[in-house]
Amino acid sequence: HGMDRSSWTNTMSKISRETYDECVSAILQNAKDKKRNFRETIELQVMLKNYDPSRDKRFNGTVKLPVAARPNMKVCLLGDARHCDEAKSLGVPCMDTDELKKLKKDKKLVKKLAKSYDAFLCSSTILKQIPRLLGPGLNKAGKFPTAVAHTDNLLAKIDELKSTVKFQMKKVLTLGVAVGHVEMEHEEVVTNIIQSVNFLVSLLKKNWQNVRSLHIKSTMGPPQRLI
């Protein structure tokens, strides 16, 4: 990334390793003390500053984390015949073009489809047809499908989605992304969070100067402040 030293320190750690460790320990301990009957997600919560969403360029970036942050993520394949056969044999939810046509671009139905899954894959052979088949609904929901080729390993591609985090600036100055869950090892959580934070900061126009606060929090636990 041809960064010079000064801008690199600008994006690098404003947060000490100790702080990461303390916050993650607190979260994992809280999850142990108050065992929930579901697997709590750990979220990174961001508050920005010196940013005008109506004027400044809205950022949008994805980063692949070392450990899958969302193992329970529901993924659906919008597939051609060959991919749908493969998906069925693997027990992966799938819809073919005939099923998509049945939605008749109905906004309500497309919205319902978008709500039913966390992410979508789509055979590269039919990707260009998606806007024509479904309208802009998936895109609006921030769930436009990721292309998958016949040469790709379908399950590996799904695993990749489960490890991928998307930072997308909306109309507000706050955002939250899933960066792990409470059944991960301490070290795995810390690594995922450090990578997420450094990636987010690299997306921001003024790097750390755009960050008001960063917290991490499990679904039910209290927020822990990183900065």
Side-chain angles (χ1 to χ4, degrees):
H1 278 311
M3 281 186 175
D4 60 52
R5 267 322 289 162
S6 63
S7 70
W8 181 241
T9 41
N10 205 0
T11 57
M12 277 317 274
S13 58
K14 255 279 170 80
I15 304 166
S16 71
R17 176 65 208 230
E18 286 79 23
T19 308
Y20 281 116
D21 279 333
E22 280 164 20
C23 290
V24 170
S25 296
I27 281 180
L28 296 180
Q29 193 53 52
N30 182 277
K32 269 202 194 80
D33 296 343
K34 300 192 171 132
K35 207 77 185 115
R36 306 289 185 317
N37 52 7
F38 67 97
R39 183 197 281 149
E40 290 181 76
T41 298
I42 298 173
E43 190 177 64
L44 173 68
Q45 297 178 333
V46 183
M47 271 196 82
L48 301 173
K49 63 178 182 187
N50 308 334
Y51 226 95
D52 178 352
S54 60
R55 242 195 6 237
D56 289 323
K57 187 177 166 319
R58 294 201 195 160
F59 56 80
N60 185 349
T62 52
V63 61
K64 190 175 180 297
L65 299 177
V67 185
R70 302 164 69 187
N72 294 359
M73 189 181 198
K74 293 206 294 273
V75 178
C76 178
L77 171 70
L78 312 177
D80 58 19
R82 184 172 152 191
H83 258 149
C84 280
D85 287 345
E86 191 186 343
K88 281 179 188 123
S89 71
L90 294 168
V92 170
C94 180
M95 288 178 82
D96 60 23
T97 45
D98 288 343
E99 290 171 273
L100 296 177
K101 276 179 194 143
K102 282 183 194 141
L103 301 178
K104 293 192 169 66
K105 272 197 189 173
D106 180 325
K107 281 198 182 101
K108 278 205 176 104
L109 292 175
V110 175
K111 201 172 178 175
K112 194 177 162 199
L113 170 66
K115 269 215 165 85
S116 311
Y117 295 96
D118 298 307
F120 294 88
L121 285 171
C122 179
S123 306
S124 42
T125 48
I126 64 165
L127 191 64
K128 282 199 171 76
Q129 298 174 39
I130 296 301
R132 201 171 67 234
L133 288 169
L134 298 178
L138 289 185
N139 212 5
K140 275 199 176 123
K143 293 182 183 174
F144 194 77
T146 301
V148 56
H150 287 144
T151 47
D152 290 330
N153 176 328
L154 208 50
L155 292 179
K157 202 77 180 168
I158 290 171
D159 268 346
E160 198 176 303
L161 278 182
K162 291 179 179 182
S163 315
T164 302
V165 176
K166 186 175 185 178
F167 287 98
Q168 195 172 14
M169 175 83 182
K170 299 268 173 58
K171 294 188 184 83
V172 288
L173 289 178
T174 54
L175 62 149
V177 295
V179 291
H181 59 82
V182 298
E183 285 166 23
M184 282 164 61
E185 296 297 325
H186 176 98
E187 199 53 42
E188 296 176 328
V189 181
V190 171
T191 310
N192 269 11
I193 293 169
I194 291 177
Q195 290 213 8
S196 303
V197 168
N198 288 347
F199 178 72
L200 164 75
V201 170
S202 75
L203 286 179
L204 300 172
K205 200 165 73 178
K206 296 186 183 144
N207 305 123
W208 285 100
Q209 288 155 349
N210 285 129
V211 178
R212 169 149 298 171
S213 69
L214 293 173
H215 289 81
I216 46 173
K217 167 183 192 320
S218 66
T219 313
M220 307 299 287
Q224 306 291 331
R225 186 167 184 151
L226 286 170
I227 191 169

